[in-house]
Amino acid sequence: AAGVIQSPRHLIKEKRETATLKCYPIPRHDTVYWYQQGPGQDPQFLISFYEKMQSDKGSIPDRFSAQQFSDYHSELNMSSLELGDSALYFCASASGSVTGELFFGEGSRLTVL
Amino acid sequence: AQSVAQPEDQVNVAEGNPLTVKCTYSVSGNPYLFWYVQYPNRGLQFLLKYITGDNLVKGSYGFEAEFNKSQTSFHLKKPSALVSDSALYFCAVRDGARPGRRALTFGSGTRLQVQP
C-alpha cells in the first residue's frame, strides 16, 4: 500500500540558510500535518492543512511557512535557520472523520551547522 | 487544552512476560486516544485507537489497550513481550470537543526494553 512520502530524507544546512521539505500524502487523504521532533523529544505539532486550506496551527515559528498544493502535496519552508531547528520533521496524512488515525512518513532529518 | 502524560521514561521487561506502558490524558470533551510505536530514525507507526465502545481495544502485533474513563487512562498492554517489541512508544490524544480534523497531541514517549 502507498505510504506518505517525504523528501529529502536528510538535509544539511548552514545557519541563516533556507530549507524546503516536501510531503506527498497517501492518495485520497485530504489532511496533512507537519510535526517537529527534536532529539529525545516527542513530536510537536507545527501546522496542518485540510483540502488545501490551513486547518490548525501549533508551535510553528514565524520563520516557517507551509502550504498545500492542488495535488495535495505539501511543502514546509524554513528560513533563517537556527541551530535549534535541527530535528526530524514528520509529515502525516489522514482521511475521513475526526476519529481517524494519522499515517506518518519516514521523516526528513534536518541538520543545521 | 488536550494533553497526555506518560509517567515512565523507560520500561524494562523480560521476554515472555506481560508488559504495560502507562498513559493518562486530559481533554475537555470525549477523548480519542491512540498509541504509536517508533523505531530508531523511523516514522511513527499506528498501533491502535479508542474512539468509543468496548474499553479494551486490540491492535497490531498483539498489543491491546484499556480505556478507563474514571482514571483518565489508556494503558498499553501485551500478554507476552518479544525482544522485537523494544522501541519508543507514544500515546496521543485528540479532544472530541474541538471541531475539525485537529492534530494529535503526543506524550513524551516511553522506551520499552525487552530483555532476552
Side-chain angles (χ1 to χ4, degrees):
Chain A
V4 176
I5 305 297
Q6 291 188 246
S7 67
R9 292 295 311 279
H10 300 273
L11 190 60
I12 299 175
K13 291 287 186 178
E14 300 277 345
K15 280 171 51 178
R16 292 180 288 278
E17 285 191 321
T18 62
T20 297
L21 306 181
K22 296 185 179 183
C23 168
Y24 296 85
I26 293 172
R28 290 179 293 282
H29 278 194
D30 53 20
T31 309
V32 167
Y33 305 82
W34 284 99
Y35 282 83
Q36 177 192 59
Q37 186 179 31
Q41 305 282 316
D42 55 291
Q44 293 290 316
F45 171 63
L46 295 178
I47 195 167
S48 64
F49 294 88
Y50 166 60
E51 286 291 346
K52 292 156 280 185
M53 299 286 289
Q54 181 181 310
S55 64
D56 203 0
K57 194 171 182 180
S59 52
I60 185 169
D62 292 340
R63 299 177 288 107
F64 293 10
S65 65
Q67 58 182 323
Q68 187 178 31
F69 295 86
S70 58
D71 64 351
Y72 291 92
H73 94 273
S74 179
E75 295 184 3
L76 177 67
N77 300 292
M78 300 175 283
S79 62
S80 303
L81 288 170
E82 302 172 357
L83 296 178
D85 296 329
S86 295
L88 260 174
Y89 290 83
F90 288 109
C91 173
S93 72
S95 177
S97 73
V98 297
T99 61
E101 62 269 28
L102 276 58
F103 293 85
F104 282 79
E106 292 295 306
S108 294
R109 179 173 294 283
L110 171 66
T111 302
V112 182
L113 301 176
Chain B
Q2 56 192 41
S3 66
V4 173
Q6 293 181 242
E8 302 154 317
D9 289 337
Q10 181 157 327
V11 169
N12 297 307
V13 64
E15 188 174 32
N17 283 359
L19 69 88
T20 299
V21 182
K22 296 179 180 178
C23 169
T24 58
Y25 66 89
S26 175
V27 295
S28 56
N30 290 324
Y32 301 147
L33 295 156
F34 304 79
W35 275 102
Y36 283 81
V37 60
Q38 185 178 31
Y39 295 95
N41 297 311
R42 302 294 301 275
L44 283 76
Q45 296 177 35
F46 169 74
L47 282 178
L48 51 79
K49 67 180 178 182
Y50 171 83
I51 303 302
T52 187
D54 194 350
N55 289 343
L56 186 63
V57 178
K58 293 188 183 297
S60 307
Y61 313 117
F63 283 94
E64 57 190 29
E66 187 168 12
F67 172 67
N68 187 315
K69 187 174 183 177
S70 63
Q71 296 184 6
T72 61
S73 67
F74 189 55
H75 300 333
L76 181 70
K77 300 182 179 185
K78 188 174 182 180
S80 179
L82 299 173
V83 172
S84 57
D85 293 330
S86 299
L88 191 55
Y89 290 79
F90 288 100
C91 182
V93 69
R94 180 188 285 133
D95 190 341
R98 301 180 68 205
R101 289 161 171 76
R102 297 295 179 178
L104 301 184
T105 296
F106 287 87
S108 54
T110 298
R111 186 165 301 282
L112 174 66
Q113 194 69 41
V114 182
Q115 284 103 19

